[in-house]
Amino acid sequence: MDKKENLVREFLSLLGEDPEREGLLDTPKRVSKAFDFLTSGYKEDPKEVLGSALFTSSASEMVLIKDIEFYSLCEHHLLPIIGKAHVAYIPNGKVVGLSKIPRMVNIFARRLQIQEQMTEQIASALQDCLAPKGVGVMIEARHMCMEMRGVQKINSITSTSALRGRFIKDERTRKEFFDLIKIR
């Protein structure tokens, strides 16, 4: 048994459970594997992912990928965060392969997170790698730490945004971004 599995066994015991009972025998191994996957974002560099598919382009209008589904773990309670990210940028001579943006979102999501930080990390990674004219990121998510415990407010949505460049300076660009996100 590895160290994480031993910790899960001990945790089960501290909860008053018997880690030797049939239903829990393989739980330490399953939990260890699950957390390896759920925190796999620490092993990947989002800037490498973005940099692996940059293309020269004369495109100059907003590129938006919306409704990028993700799940993460709240760094305060280790409970799920389930949401959607909307990511846009205005090219400045370069575009990135479209699949790289959801991959980057997953890298940040598969770390212990707070939504506010994740939103900023996504915007900063795009800004640093592409040097676009602007970046807009909005995340809408449900937090199980709010729904399952504490205040217990089911289906409450938290929205965060991070804006860079023209998304801050140009009110029309900002409005277009938020209007496009609303169109379903």
Side-chain angles (χ1 to χ4, degrees), residues 59-119:
S60 61
E61 296 296 322
M62 185 184 309
V63 176
L64 167 64
I65 300 178
K66 64 182 186 175
D67 296 330
I68 302 168
E69 294 179 341
F70 72 88
Y71 54 86
S72 189
L73 291 174
C74 159
E75 69 182 30
H76 300 135
H77 305 97
L78 301 183
L79 291 173
I81 300 169
I82 302 163
K84 291 181 179 183
H86 314 288
V87 181
Y89 70 97
I90 299 172
N92 189 18
K94 291 186 270 186
V95 295
V96 66
L98 294 177
S99 70
K100 302 307 180 193
I101 292 176
R103 283 191 60 201
M104 176 203 42
V105 169
N106 278 342
I107 289 170
F108 287 120
R110 289 186 181 142
R111 299 175 179 186
L112 302 181
Q113 279 291 11
I114 61 171
Q115 181 175 332
E116 300 89 339
Q117 175 178 282
M118 184 176 150
T119 308

